[in-house]
PDB file of all heavy atoms in Angstrom:
ATOM      1  N   LYS A 235     -77.991  52.135  12.668  1.00  0.00           N
ATOM      2  CA  LYS A 235     -76.561  52.098  12.921  1.00  0.00           C
ATOM      3  C   LYS A 235     -75.793  52.330  11.583  1.00  0.00           C
ATOM      4  O   LYS A 235     -76.080  51.685  10.591  1.00  0.00           O
ATOM      5  CB  LYS A 235     -76.106  50.807  13.486  1.00  0.00           C
ATOM      6  CG  LYS A 235     -74.636  50.788  13.837  1.00  0.00           C
ATOM      7  CD  LYS A 235     -74.130  49.378  14.228  1.00  0.00           C
ATOM      8  CE  LYS A 235     -72.674  49.438  14.466  1.00  0.00           C
ATOM      9  NZ  LYS A 235     -72.105  48.076  14.755  1.00  0.00           N
ATOM     10  N   ILE A 236     -74.911  53.314  11.480  1.00  0.00           N
ATOM     11  CA  ILE A 236     -74.037  53.502  10.359  1.00  0.00           C
ATOM     12  C   ILE A 236     -72.633  53.266  10.768  1.00  0.00           C
ATOM     13  O   ILE A 236     -72.179  53.833  11.879  1.00  0.00           O
ATOM     14  CB  ILE A 236     -74.262  54.913   9.780  1.00  0.00           C
ATOM     15  CG1 ILE A 236     -75.696  54.982   9.232  1.00  0.00           C
ATOM     16  CG2 ILE A 236     -73.246  55.255   8.699  1.00  0.00           C
ATOM     17  CD1 ILE A 236     -76.061  56.395   8.851  1.00  0.00           C
ATOM     18  N   ALA A 237     -71.930  52.401  10.001  1.00  0.00           N
ATOM     19  CA  ALA A 237     -70.561  52.100  10.494  1.00  0.00           C
ATOM     20  C   ALA A 237     -69.595  51.950   9.386  1.00  0.00           C
ATOM     21  O   ALA A 237     -69.889  51.719   8.125  1.00  0.00           O
ATOM     22  CB  ALA A 237     -70.592  50.804  11.224  1.00  0.00           C
ATOM     23  N   THR A 238     -68.298  51.932   9.682  1.00  0.00           N
ATOM     24  CA  THR A 238     -67.190  51.741   8.729  1.00  0.00           C
ATOM     25  C   THR A 238     -66.282  50.601   9.300  1.00  0.00           C
ATOM     26  O   THR A 238     -66.008  50.584  10.559  1.00  0.00           O
ATOM     27  CB  THR A 238     -66.357  53.036   8.517  1.00  0.00           C
ATOM     28  OG1 THR A 238     -67.222  54.112   8.222  1.00  0.00           O
ATOM     29  CG2 THR A 238     -65.310  52.842   7.362  1.00  0.00           C
ATOM     30  N   ASP A 239     -65.880  49.744   8.443  1.00  0.00           N
ATOM     31  CA  ASP A 239     -64.898  48.686   8.909  1.00  0.00           C
ATOM     32  C   ASP A 239     -63.575  49.249   9.123  1.00  0.00           C
ATOM     33  O   ASP A 239     -62.846  49.689   8.235  1.00  0.00           O
ATOM     34  CB  ASP A 239     -64.961  47.563   7.880  1.00  0.00           C
ATOM     35  CG  ASP A 239     -64.010  46.377   8.326  1.00  0.00           C
ATOM     36  OD1 ASP A 239     -63.589  46.317   9.533  1.00  0.00           O
ATOM     37  OD2 ASP A 239     -63.935  45.382   7.532  1.00  0.00           O
ATOM     38  N   ILE A 240     -63.152  49.203  10.388  1.00  0.00           N
ATOM     39  CA  ILE A 240     -61.757  49.731  10.634  1.00  0.00           C
ATOM     40  C   ILE A 240     -60.932  48.570  11.218  1.00  0.00           C
ATOM     41  O   ILE A 240     -59.857  48.773  11.917  1.00  0.00           O
ATOM     42  CB  ILE A 240     -61.823  50.880  11.597  1.00  0.00           C
ATOM     43  CG1 ILE A 240     -62.512  50.451  12.976  1.00  0.00           C
ATOM     44  CG2 ILE A 240     -62.449  52.140  11.016  1.00  0.00           C
ATOM     45  CD1 ILE A 240     -62.122  51.383  14.151  1.00  0.00           C
ATOM     46  N   THR A 241     -61.334  47.312  10.925  1.00  0.00           N
ATOM     47  CA  THR A 241     -60.607  46.158  11.563  1.00  0.00           C
ATOM     48  C   THR A 241     -59.131  46.172  11.288  1.00  0.00           C
ATOM     49  O   THR A 241     -58.294  46.016  12.235  1.00  0.00           O
ATOM     50  CB  THR A 241     -61.224  44.855  10.998  1.00  0.00           C
ATOM     51  OG1 THR A 241     -62.597  44.903  11.222  1.00  0.00           O
ATOM     52  CG2 THR A 241     -60.660  43.655  11.778  1.00  0.00           C
ATOM     53  N   LEU A 242     -58.800  46.474   9.946  1.00  0.00           N
ATOM     54  CA  LEU A 242     -57.342  46.456   9.552  1.00  0.00           C
ATOM     55  C   LEU A 242     -56.566  47.357  10.397  1.00  0.00           C
ATOM     56  O   LEU A 242     -55.505  47.051  11.008  1.00  0.00           O
ATOM     57  CB  LEU A 242     -57.302  46.581   8.131  1.00  0.00           C
ATOM     58  CG  LEU A 242     -55.865  46.477   7.482  1.00  0.00           C
ATOM     59  CD1 LEU A 242     -55.444  45.010   7.554  1.00  0.00           C
ATOM     60  CD2 LEU A 242     -55.887  46.948   6.035  1.00  0.00           C
ATOM     61  N   ALA A 243     -56.996  48.712  10.288  1.00  0.00           N
ATOM     62  CA  ALA A 243     -56.363  49.745  10.994  1.00  0.00           C
ATOM     63  C   ALA A 243     -56.231  49.488  12.482  1.00  0.00           C
ATOM     64  O   ALA A 243     -55.236  49.640  13.128  1.00  0.00           O
ATOM     65  CB  ALA A 243     -56.990  51.059  10.804  1.00  0.00           C
ATOM     66  N   LYS A 244     -57.393  49.009  13.014  1.00  0.00           N
ATOM     67  CA  LYS A 244     -57.485  48.769  14.421  1.00  0.00           C
ATOM     68  C   LYS A 244     -56.517  47.668  14.855  1.00  0.00           C
ATOM     69  O   LYS A 244     -55.824  47.742  15.850  1.00  0.00           O
ATOM     70  CB  LYS A 244     -59.016  48.355  14.879  1.00  0.00           C
ATOM     71  CG  LYS A 244     -59.288  48.379  16.238  1.00  0.00           C
ATOM     72  CD  LYS A 244     -59.164  49.753  16.918  1.00  0.00           C
ATOM     73  CE  LYS A 244     -59.347  49.668  18.381  1.00  0.00           C
ATOM     74  NZ  LYS A 244     -59.159  51.009  19.064  1.00  0.00           N
ATOM     75  N   THR A 245     -56.613  46.574  14.056  1.00  0.00           N
ATOM     76  CA  THR A 245     -55.757  45.455  14.426  1.00  0.00           C
ATOM     77  C   THR A 245     -54.286  45.785  14.460  1.00  0.00           C
ATOM     78  O   THR A 245     -53.515  45.575  15.373  1.00  0.00           O
ATOM     79  CB  THR A 245     -55.961  44.308  13.290  1.00  0.00           C
ATOM     80  OG1 THR A 245     -57.280  44.074  13.159  1.00  0.00           O
ATOM     81  CG2 THR A 245     -55.221  43.025  13.776  1.00  0.00           C
TER      82      THR A 245
END
Side-chain angles (χ1 to χ4, degrees):
Chain A
K235 182 188 179 183
I236 292 171
T238 310
D239 183 4
I240 56 158
T241 307
L242 189 65
K244 190 68 185 175
T245 310

